[in-house]
Amino acid sequence: MREKCSVQGWDGENALPVSEDAVLTAGLFIDLLPEGVKEPFITAENTGDIAFDWDLGEDMTFAVIVSSGHAVYAGIFGDSSRRGTVKIHRELPDPIKDILLRYFRK
């Protein structure tokens, strides 16, 4: 993914290249994922960021988009939803960790 998405317009449109900061933050994010959580589907975004998606079907989906030391997350969990922006440091931020452990265990 990294090589394919490293040039302007990699999507056949006008997508921004995935930034080195996004790659580094994505690697850190992967390292911080708790054990026992389902593996996400990982994609490059046309904004140059990297997205992690968990989808259990209708009304059970969660996405985290990482870039340059922070993450934007949003999810729908039946009748409720959550979203926010957090910094990624040495630990997975509690809001993201709580959602993953509650809804997306293997």
Side-chain angles (χ1 to χ4, degrees):
M1 171 175 56
R2 185 176 182 176
E3 286 181 29
K4 176 186 173 194
C5 302
S6 65
V7 296
Q8 181 81 25
W10 57 264
D11 65 346
E13 299 290 324
N14 200 26
L16 296 175
V18 172
S19 70
E20 186 64 28
D21 285 340
V23 171
L24 293 173
T25 303
L28 176 60
F29 183 79
I30 289 168
D31 289 344
L32 295 174
L33 288 174
E35 285 189 38
V37 171
K38 293 181 183 287
E39 290 186 24
F41 183 70
I42 304 170
T43 56
E45 295 287 300
N46 63 3
T47 57
D49 302 327
I50 298 176
F52 296 83
D53 294 297
W54 290 264
D55 189 352
L56 298 179
E58 189 174 322
D59 295 333
M60 288 297 288
T61 186
F62 185 53
V64 179
I65 299 173
V66 301
S67 69
S68 193
H70 72 277
V72 176
Y73 65 91
I76 298 172
F77 317 103
D79 292 336
S80 67
S81 65
R82 290 179 62 186
R83 71 181 133 232
T85 302
V86 292
K87 291 190 178 212
I88 304 280
H89 289 294
R90 294 183 187 114
E91 294 181 5
L92 192 64
D94 286 338
I96 293 173
K97 184 180 355 177
D98 293 346
I99 289 168
L100 291 173
L101 291 174
R102 182 170 182 186
Y103 298 106
F104 299 98
R105 287 186 178 268
K106 290 184 182 177

